[in-house]
Amino acid sequence: MIETGRAAVLDLDLTQLLELQPAPPRYQPLRRFPDSAFDLSVLAGPRALIADVQAALEKLAGDGLLSINFLREFALAEGGRSLSYRLTVGAPDRTLSAEEVGAVRSRIIDGMRAAGFELRL
């Protein structure tokens, strides 16, 4: 007597599967000097991409930028949006002075305004 039923075959190439694994995280030493963070809210059009605004901020911040995080988005009554970001800046060999952090912030604000964006300060 022969029984009928369903069967499945799974053929995995384990070497290829291992190659697709992400590399293990590399050790990064703790920062020796403190960093400084500030928030900026950019007024953008209804179709502006969050990633495009973030890329413009990163470019203007320069080498001292350690991280940039998107915080929130608010819809404005005029039809635009307010996109808020937290930018963290620092130097590997020293603590940045308040004037240096202020200069980075001012450079970003001036550059964003030159690119046609308004900022909420």
Side-chain angles (χ1 to χ4, degrees):
M1 174 156 102
I2 299 176
E3 292 191 32
T4 60
R6 294 184 179 180
V9 175
L10 178 62
D11 185 19
L12 291 176
D13 183 354
L14 295 179
T15 55
Q16 188 175 19
L17 187 63
L18 287 174
E19 290 173 4
L20 295 175
Q21 291 289 327
R26 299 182 77 194
Y27 167 76
Q28 291 182 341
L30 296 176
R31 291 188 48 80
R32 184 171 175 198
F33 299 96
D35 48 35
S36 298
F38 55 90
D39 295 348
L40 287 177
S41 293
V42 179
L43 301 180
R47 300 193 59 112
L49 298 177
I50 292 171
D52 290 345
V53 175
Q54 183 168 330
L57 290 169
E58 288 174 357
K59 182 178 178 184
L60 290 167
D63 293 335
L65 182 67
L66 299 175
S67 68
I68 182 168
N69 297 316
F70 175 73
L71 299 177
R72 66 186 68 86
E73 173 183 356
F74 290 108
L76 302 175
E78 312 82 63
R81 301 177 328 185
S82 174
L83 307 174
S84 298
Y85 298 87
R86 174 160 295 144
L87 292 92
T88 305
V89 295
D93 58 343
R94 61 191 169 79
T95 301
L96 294 179
S97 68
E99 292 80 20
E100 290 172 312
V101 174
V104 171
R105 186 175 183 272
S106 294
R107 183 176 66 233
I108 293 169
I109 290 171
D110 293 342
M112 291 301 284
R113 285 184 175 153
F117 292 99
E118 285 186 52
L119 283 93
R120 284 192 167 177
L121 303 174

